[in-house]
Amino acid sequence: MIKKKMEVYTLIKPEIQKLITVGIETANLDCRILLSKSLNIDKVIYNHEYIDISENQIKKFQCLVEQRLSGKPVSRIVNKRNFWKKEFKLNEQTLDPRPDSEILIETVLLHYENKSKSLKILDLGSGSGCLGLSLLEEYVNSEVSFFDVSKKSLEIVKINALNFGSANRSKFINLDWRIDGWDLNLIKIENNIKFDIIISNPPYIPRDEIKKLQTEVKKYDPFIALNGGIDGLDSYRYIIPKLKNILKYNGKVFFEIGKGQEDFISSRAKKHKLFPIEYNKDLSGVNRVITFIVK
Ligand SMILES: C[S@@+](CC[C@H](N)C(=O)[O-])C[C@H]1O[C@@H](n2cnc3c(N)ncnc32)[C@H](O)[C@@H]1O
């Protein structure tokens, strides 16, 4: 394979211009990530470095840029996304982790300051595992059970857990919270030991709003990870009544929520012995995480 030496910027400039024309603000960074992917290297490439590249690799890069031009997010083209302190692998059945979800991790850290504690944690609707695996990174003696209806997403959690060296503290549970008795089945799998902490970022977008979302979301994030039913609140309706059966006394629940959903979720939770103790806002000032304690 004959390779030539080229300056990165000379190679990517025309492709950056194409992406800018369709309004992609991160055009330069996107092109550099896609170039790394076509060269099969993991490190960041800089605009003014020189690389050795073959004609095939240039063609591959241009094909990846075409995918980006059609609206596919970079994270879906390279199948990975940075979250908290790690790079998570993704597949077509995992939600692309959102930076706002890191607020949930920050909130748990504020409530449990002793990082050497041995905590039993449940990640309900685990997707790529970004929430539970980030907590395992922080709480080195703790264990997380990853619960998801999608078997394919659990496969990715397993790969991420292995890559991060956390697989021995992870359990992978394929259950559906819409099926009555899921709490009893879970507790049986857990040998009747309840959880100290439950974290969950369930689907919470009202069904009819999904089609109005950006192409990057509605076309590439799995529908089951977004769809919260008519008013966006179905997952909480299924989950909340069962939580006291699987949480220890004084255990805490950390829910990510959608804009304006806090009143419904808090009043539903209170009916089931869960008491709201804190609301945490995202950078745009929206209540994004609610913390409950079970009494
Ligand atoms: C919004 S995504 C969150 C994924 C991940 N926790 C994150 O924060 O990126 C919701 C997750 O819930 C899962 N899910 C949806 N409905 C479910 C159900 N009925 N039972 C179990 N998991 C479900 C989806 O497969 C998806 O992985």
Side-chain angles (χ1 to χ4, degrees):
M1 188 170 40
I2 301 167
K3 291 193 175 182
K4 56 183 172 187
K5 208 172 253 321
M6 277 190 89
E7 189 199 26
V8 168
Y9 195 61
T10 312
L11 175 64
I12 66 176
K13 198 173 165 195
E15 308 304 318
I16 293 175
Q17 271 156 352
K18 286 184 200 163
L19 294 185
I20 288 175
T21 312
V22 298
I24 296 174
E25 288 170 7
T26 50
N28 186 305
L29 177 64
D30 290 3
C31 280
R32 286 185 289 128
I33 296 172
L34 296 178
L35 183 58
S36 298
K37 166 94 178 157
S38 36
L39 294 170
N40 219 1
I41 53 174
D42 256 345
K43 75 171 190 72
V44 182
I45 293 183
Y46 298 97
N47 280 332
H48 298 289
E49 72 177 285
Y50 281 79
I51 50 165
D52 293 318
I53 189 161
S54 70
E55 276 307 319
N56 274 348
Q57 287 169 323
I58 293 176
K59 278 197 193 112
K60 189 172 168 194
F61 166 61
Q62 288 163 342
C63 283
L64 298 181
V65 174
E66 285 303 315
Q67 291 184 36
R68 183 70 191 105
L69 273 170
S70 75
K72 192 166 183 176
V74 172
S75 55
R76 294 292 176 193
I77 301 173
V78 300
N79 273 323
K80 55 192 185 188
R81 159 76 74 184
N82 291 339
F83 183 86
W84 197 246
K85 298 179 179 173
K86 294 281 182 192
E87 182 175 86
F88 287 78
K89 289 212 183 305
L90 308 178
N91 67 17
E92 68 289 352
Q93 285 202 21
T94 57
L95 186 88
D96 190 349
R98 307 294 202 269
D100 274 347
S101 301
E102 294 183 354
I103 294 162
L104 192 149
I105 307 295
E106 288 167 13
T107 308
V108 176
L109 287 171
L110 290 173
H111 282 259
Y112 295 86
E113 286 179 350
N114 179 356
K115 291 194 176 175
S116 59
K117 234 180 153 171
S118 148
L119 298 163
K120 186 171 168 66
I121 304 170
L122 174 65
D123 183 350
L124 263 180
S126 47
S128 60
C130 60
L131 297 177
L133 288 169
S134 299
L135 289 181
L136 282 183
E137 191 65 20
E138 300 295 331
Y139 298 100
V140 291
N141 296 315
S142 294
E143 292 177 5
V144 174
S145 295
F146 296 91
F147 177 123
D148 208 290
V149 68
S150 157
K151 276 191 186 148
K152 269 204 99 178
S153 77
L154 287 168
E155 285 168 16
I156 280 290
V157 185
K158 211 176 273 185
I159 291 171
N160 284 324
L162 283 166
N163 287 345
F164 306 158
S166 310
N168 59 338
R169 295 187 286 129
S170 304
K171 225 182 258 174
F172 310 95
I173 300 172
N174 182 221
L175 286 172
D176 182 340
W177 59 60
R178 291 167 300 187
I179 296 176
D180 211 26
W182 67 266
D183 50 329
L184 303 177
N185 287 335
L186 173 64
I187 249 359
K188 210 188 279 171
I189 294 169
E190 300 289 345
N191 298 319
N192 293 316
I193 303 172
K194 295 185 177 184
F195 296 93
D196 298 292
I197 299 176
I198 297 178
I199 54 171
S200 186
N201 172 19
Y204 56 67
I205 302 186
R207 196 173 46 217
D208 287 345
E209 283 182 22
I210 296 174
K211 53 179 179 291
K212 299 181 209 152
L213 299 172
Q214 302 154 279
T215 311
E216 301 202 352
V217 178
K218 68 182 176 211
K219 192 163 169 201
Y220 295 102
D221 274 322
F223 184 74
I224 195 160
L226 302 173
N227 176 28
I230 289 177
D231 59 1
L233 295 161
D234 276 1
S235 315
Y236 305 100
R237 288 190 182 91
Y238 285 114
I239 293 172
I240 288 172
K242 309 293 185 184
L243 291 177
K244 65 178 180 306
N245 301 339
I246 57 176
L247 252 185
K248 287 180 189 163
Y249 185 74
N250 274 338
K252 288 182 187 166
V253 179
F254 299 84
F255 268 134
E256 178 168 329
I257 62 166
K259 190 174 179 185
Q261 294 179 333
E262 58 272 36
D263 289 346
F264 172 88
I265 295 170
S266 297
S267 79
R268 180 60 61 115
K270 281 183 211 158
K271 287 190 189 132
H272 294 279
K273 294 192 165 35
L274 291 161
F275 299 94
I277 49 174
E278 198 179 27
Y279 297 83
N280 289 83
K281 293 188 193 307
D282 63 19
L283 287 177
S284 46
V286 170
N287 277 328
R288 189 57 67 197
V289 173
I290 314 187
T291 305
F292 296 100
I293 190 160
V294 70
K295 292 283 183 198

